[in-house]
Amino acid sequence: MTFKKLILHAEIAAEIEPHLPSDTQIALVDSDGNLDRDAKDAEIYFSWFFLKPATLHRVLAAAPQLRWHHAPNAGVNHILTPTYLERNLILTNGAGSHAIPIAEFVITYILAHAKYLPELYNLQAQRHWQRGFAIQELTDATLLIIGAGGIGQAIAQRAKAFGMRVFGSRRHPQALPNFDKVVGADEWRVLLPEVDYLVIATPLTPQTEGLIDETVLRSLPPHAYLINIARGAVVDEPALIQALTEGWIAGAALDTVINEPLPSESPLWTVPNLLITPHCSGHSPNVKQRSIELFLDNFKRYQNGQPLRNIVDQNAGY
């Protein structure tokens, strides 16, 4: 398939251009959506991380012939605006590119909780020698992963190496490696009383917004630990604050919150037994290279009229 022009964000153009046909025309766009040349005949747009809706809409307006948009993110809820959906573009995402660092971060959160690392760090800072913590093993602990996609499966693989019992949920349940059980939508709720660690790895959609609410949090045992590496709005934050303050669950780790960056006045900063990280679980020097390799593979497929990888079901939201 022939094409006329490609729109690239300036952050990645230098890595992409050497792998393109020599006659490829490129229009560069900055983080505000300003293009360095006319993009009226551009067919392909490879956006980059932290894409603002205003930037996206400026690109859409400048490129009426656009056919395919590739986003490096796994979650695309910020992209699927009404303006975007009207264009009926092919949208592919970066699912899989971040699975390894995110899965490693999840295991880090679990180990930090089980081994009392925050408390031990505080003792070291105070130069105080104290023992007697109820340090736990991960062997035979139960992990429930809401969203058994690529990231969920990478988490399960690493959890199994520690001897954990792993449950998962997905819209279309099926047997998966490293999972002891995979259930469908809402079936995971009956498993909550058995759960030691609950990990949220589901896309943000109208169906999952506020999914982890008071009912879910009260259904967990008091020693349970919640981890969210998906999108902040999947968790009902006031309910979580109440759960941690009143001790419904033992603790939580949030790598994502509803309002990012988290304002300094947010009550989340001072909630007991809550670890907050700045949406960094997917960071790794290897992610950029994986993202570029995925796009270039899809670019060849586009040229040859072959099916693209990671096509997003825009009705489902992922």
Side-chain angles (χ1 to χ4, degrees):
M1 179 182 294
T2 59
F3 65 97
K4 297 180 179 179
K5 189 173 292 183
L6 170 68
I7 301 173
L8 294 175
H9 278 243
E11 295 93 328
I12 52 171
E15 289 91 340
I16 296 289
E17 191 169 4
H19 301 281
L20 301 175
S22 58
D23 59 348
T24 302
Q25 299 180 54
I26 297 174
L28 296 180
V29 60
D30 65 18
S31 60
D32 294 321
N34 300 307
L35 289 144
D36 72 338
R37 65 174 65 181
D38 183 10
K40 285 189 293 187
D41 53 354
E43 293 184 22
I44 303 170
Y45 174 36
F46 182 9
S47 61
W48 201 231
F49 294 105
F50 311 115
L51 179 64
K52 296 178 287 189
T55 300
L56 174 60
H57 292 164
R58 290 188 72 174
V59 172
L60 294 179
Q65 301 302 315
L66 206 62
R67 300 184 68 248
W68 165 39
H69 172 205
H70 179 76
N73 316 72
V76 294
N77 57 286
H78 62 299
I79 290 173
L80 299 176
T81 65
T83 299
Y84 188 92
L85 293 171
E86 288 175 1
R87 293 291 293 271
N88 196 30
L89 303 175
I90 299 169
L91 172 63
T92 56
N93 69 1
S97 301
H98 315 81
I100 291 174
I102 291 177
E104 291 177 351
F105 235 100
V106 168
I107 297 300
T108 300
Y109 294 133
I110 291 173
L111 285 169
H113 174 68
K115 306 304 182 183
Y116 283 78
L117 290 187
E119 293 84 353
L120 294 172
Y121 278 131
N122 287 335
L123 288 174
Q124 180 180 351
Q126 298 166 18
R127 304 187 183 191
H128 180 62
W129 185 277
Q130 176 184 327
R131 303 180 69 183
F133 292 103
I135 293 173
Q136 303 294 312
E137 293 183 1
L138 301 190
T139 301
D140 296 327
T142 298
L143 167 65
L144 171 58
I145 304 169
I146 306 298
I151 291 172
Q153 291 173 45
I155 295 167
Q157 179 185 22
R158 286 151 181 80
K160 266 300 171 188
F162 283 92
M164 301 183 78
R165 183 171 64 150
V166 183
F167 298 152
S169 77
R170 57 187 293 154
R171 185 170 55 157
H172 302 296
Q174 64 186 84
L176 293 171
N178 302 304
F179 284 87
D180 296 279
K181 182 187 297 185
V182 179
V183 300
D186 283 343
E187 295 179 81
W188 52 270
R189 294 177 183 272
V190 301
L191 303 173
L192 291 173
E194 305 176 53
V195 169
D196 300 302
Y197 296 93
L198 175 61
V199 174
I200 312 306
T202 186
L204 176 60
T205 68
Q207 290 72 38
T208 63
E209 185 172 359
L211 182 69
I212 308 304
D213 57 9
E214 178 177 346
T215 301
V216 171
L217 293 168
R218 286 190 181 275
S219 299
L220 291 164
H223 66 270
Y225 194 79
L226 170 71
I227 298 169
N228 186 13
I229 46 80
R231 287 292 185 268
V234 178
V235 174
D236 180 337
E237 289 181 354
L240 178 62
I241 290 172
Q242 186 178 1
L244 293 171
T245 302
E246 298 181 4
W248 307 349
I249 60 174
L254 302 180
D255 188 49
T256 178
V257 293
I258 293 174
N259 295 315
E260 297 182 5
L262 185 63
S264 60
E265 65 273 14
S266 170
L268 287 171
W269 288 115
T270 55
V271 173
N273 302 313
L274 176 59
L275 174 61
I276 296 174
T277 53
H279 209 149
C280 61
S281 65
H283 292 189
S284 160
N286 299 322
V287 167
K288 185 176 185 180
Q289 187 58 37
R290 291 191 194 105
S291 300
I292 289 172
E293 288 174 357
L294 173 58
F295 170 75
L296 290 173
D297 179 64
N298 262 347
F299 181 79
K300 291 178 182 178
R301 290 167 179 263
Y302 183 85
Q303 282 185 296
N304 296 326
Q306 298 173 329
L308 303 183
R309 295 165 56 193
N310 289 8
I311 293 180
V312 172
D313 180 341
Q314 297 182 38
N315 291 321
Y318 57 93

